[in-house]
Amino acid sequence: GINAEYMGLKEMQAGVRAQLTETSEKMGDRAKVMEANIKECNKDLLTLKNTMKTQTGMAYKQSQRKAMMLIKKKKLYETQYNNLTNMQFNIDTCLLYTSPSPRD
């Protein structure tokens, strides 16, 4: 009857909550990796900037190209990080609305 269907719905909601929680945790871990990549790019850029102060000619041009590649890479990581955290926020919001209510 209706009560059995309701119990099945509650079980399904619990499964969905578990999946959403797991997905959110994985996204959080991935976001930490992205943050580390961004920090690594910043560190490399700073090192390169200090190196470029003493360079001239072709060496300077090469370092300049390398810096541009690092900046593009950093921008890519930042975009991925922002997309990931936005998706995680949406999932966490869904979790909020699929949480069991005190009436259940």
Side-chain angles (χ1 to χ4, degrees):
I2 294 173
N3 200 21
E5 288 173 16
Y6 179 71
M7 293 304 291
L9 180 64
K10 283 179 75 171
E11 289 172 7
M12 188 174 79
Q13 284 177 334
V16 168
R17 276 195 304 277
Q19 287 177 337
L20 287 174
T21 301
E22 182 183 343
T23 301
S24 179
E25 288 170 359
K26 285 180 182 178
M27 286 181 152
D29 293 343
R30 186 74 184 128
K32 288 176 187 171
V33 171
M34 289 289 164
E35 284 177 330
N37 289 342
I38 292 167
K39 285 180 184 176
E40 183 72 24
C41 283
N42 283 334
K43 187 181 75 140
D44 292 347
L45 279 167
L46 187 62
T47 304
L48 199 54
K49 180 182 172 185
N50 292 332
T51 305
M52 287 173 71
K53 289 178 183 176
T54 61
Q55 290 179 328
T56 57
M58 282 304 286
Y60 182 83
K61 289 281 186 195
Q62 248 182 335
S63 292
Q64 204 173 27
R65 276 196 296 277
K66 188 174 180 184
M68 286 305 295
M69 286 176 57
L70 278 170
I71 290 169
K72 286 179 184 177
K73 192 175 182 183
K74 178 184 166 191
K75 181 75 175 155
L76 176 74
Y77 286 143
E78 287 172 338
T79 301
Q80 289 175 345
Y81 175 80
N82 289 335
N83 290 341
L84 196 62
T85 53
N86 286 337
M87 283 190 284
Q88 186 180 18
F89 174 79
N90 291 338
I91 287 173
D92 291 343
T93 303
C94 286
L95 270 171
L96 237 133
Y97 290 105
T98 59
S99 294
S101 66
R103 294 173 285 161
D104 291 344

